[in-house]
Amino acid sequence: MRMKVEELRKRNNRLEEEKLSESENSDMTKIVVYLRGSRLSDMDQELVRQDILDIILAAKERGEEMSQAIGTDYKSFCDEVIAEMKPKGVEERVEETFITVLMSASVLLMIKMIFFTAETIRSVFVNEPVHWNVPVSYLELFFVIAGIAAAWGVVKIILNDAFDENDRRTKILISMIFAAFIASFTLMY
């Protein structure tokens, strides 16, 4: 099933690139971003995306604009479609969350290892004893958890505000989270 999702995603990407104008592609990107933040499974997201593309392409063949085919309020259109679809199952949501947390933690662990390696190299050059254990404090664990939560929050904000033309709120929230993350990261190292 995973392969089928990837094949469908590639097909949809190719269709968007080849058949849609620049403005239609921009609007379709907003729709896709909004779908990514929905409660739909990956397969359902791609099926909805395929259906929307088919509607738009059929309208283009008739000489109509995208807005004539699906309306001008793309968010409401997407909400109506999402409401008719079956949401992700609990198992799929847990798996998705688990994978996201593990990938995020592994990136942060890699950053920790880079700093540890730099410190070890420095110790060798200044003739200090080299410590081969990687110290991890409770504060660092807290910041890792907070960083993952903040990153998740930023992604959710971006996905939910895909159709917000005045994205001032999004920019303010992301800036605040980014500033807090930089401050935390500075305190950690």
Side-chain angles (χ1 to χ4, degrees):
M1 173 132 160
R2 187 75 187 152
M3 192 60 184
K4 184 158 172 65
V5 172
E6 292 302 320
E7 290 171 10
L8 190 54
R9 184 172 289 136
K10 285 178 184 177
R11 177 197 174 276
N12 289 339
N13 287 342
R14 188 175 27 80
L15 274 176
E16 283 180 20
E17 289 173 13
E18 294 173 1
K19 304 283 185 177
L20 298 182
S21 69
E22 192 173 317
S23 67
E24 291 168 334
N25 206 340
S26 174
D27 289 339
M28 193 63 194
T29 299
K30 291 176 184 175
I31 290 171
V32 171
V33 168
Y34 193 72
L35 289 173
R36 296 285 182 251
S38 72
R39 58 182 177 71
L40 299 178
S41 68
D42 289 348
M43 185 63 172
D44 286 342
Q45 288 174 23
E46 290 305 319
L47 289 172
V48 167
R49 184 177 170 202
Q50 179 183 25
D51 290 345
I52 293 172
L53 275 169
D54 290 343
I55 292 169
I56 294 168
L57 294 175
K60 281 184 77 153
E61 286 178 4
R62 294 188 306 268
E64 295 176 0
E65 296 291 320
M66 181 175 169
S67 58
Q68 292 173 305
I70 62 173
T72 55
D73 189 356
Y74 301 139
K75 184 178 187 295
S76 294
F77 176 78
C78 288
D79 286 338
E80 289 173 18
V81 172
I82 291 168
E84 297 298 319
M85 303 289 292
K86 180 180 149 204
K88 288 180 196 172
V90 173
E91 184 178 304
E92 188 175 359
R93 285 185 303 196
V94 168
E95 177 186 357
E96 185 178 281
T97 302
F98 185 71
I99 289 170
T100 302
V101 168
L102 281 181
M103 289 177 65
S104 301
S106 66
V107 168
L108 293 174
L109 178 63
M110 182 62 75
I111 292 169
K112 174 72 173 171
M113 293 307 296
I114 290 169
F115 279 103
F116 175 74
T117 303
E119 181 62 28
T120 303
I121 292 170
R122 188 199 62 76
S123 295
V124 168
F125 281 120
V126 296
N127 263 349
E128 291 180 356
V130 176
H131 301 286
W132 293 106
N133 60 340
V134 181
V136 178
S137 70
Y138 289 117
L139 185 62
E140 287 175 322
L141 287 175
F142 170 75
F143 284 136
V144 164
I145 293 168
I148 291 171
W152 181 81
V154 167
V155 170
K156 279 305 217 184
I157 290 168
I158 291 169
L159 294 177
N160 290 337
D161 289 350
F163 293 112
D164 186 14
E165 294 300 324
N166 182 12
D167 56 354
R168 185 168 185 244
R169 181 190 91 126
T170 304
K171 288 178 182 175
I172 290 170
L173 288 172
I174 291 174
S175 298
M176 288 172 46
I177 291 172
F178 184 71
F181 187 70
I182 294 298
S184 319
F185 193 73
T186 304
L187 290 173
M188 191 164 49
Y189 296 102

